[in-house]
Amino acid sequence: MKPGKVEGMEEMLETLVEIYTDAFYEVKEEYLEKLEKIRKEEDFETFSDVEDLRKLIEE
């Protein structure tokens, strides 16, 4: 195999492992409660996409 193919296969395998891991990951209820408390206390901005965030950072 050419080196480019090996790297491509490694990336695909890493992606599959991440997807598999995320599928079985559970967040503890106490963490969700803490996140909700932080969300209510702070004034967060939301962005529809990364480009909007980038524009804000660059201003």
Side-chain angles (χ1 to χ4, degrees):
M1 279 194 198
K2 295 181 182 179
K5 289 183 179 180
V6 172
E7 281 87 19
M9 290 175 67
E10 287 176 348
E11 289 175 13
M12 287 191 302
L13 182 57
E14 289 173 3
T15 301
L16 288 171
V17 169
E18 289 174 10
I19 291 169
Y20 180 81
T21 302
D22 289 346
F24 296 101
Y25 183 74
E26 290 187 36
V27 178
K28 290 184 179 182
E29 185 64 31
E30 64 187 88
Y31 295 157
L32 294 174
E33 291 170 3
K34 288 180 182 180
L35 287 172
E36 184 64 22
K37 182 179 176 185
I38 291 169
R39 188 187 67 77
K40 287 180 180 179
E41 292 176 357
E42 301 293 327
D43 184 27
F44 289 100
E45 283 194 53
T46 57
F47 302 95
S48 58
D49 57 26
V50 175
E51 191 59 37
D52 287 344
L53 175 59
R54 180 176 292 128
K55 288 176 185 176
L56 178 72
I57 293 170
E58 291 175 350
E59 290 178 352

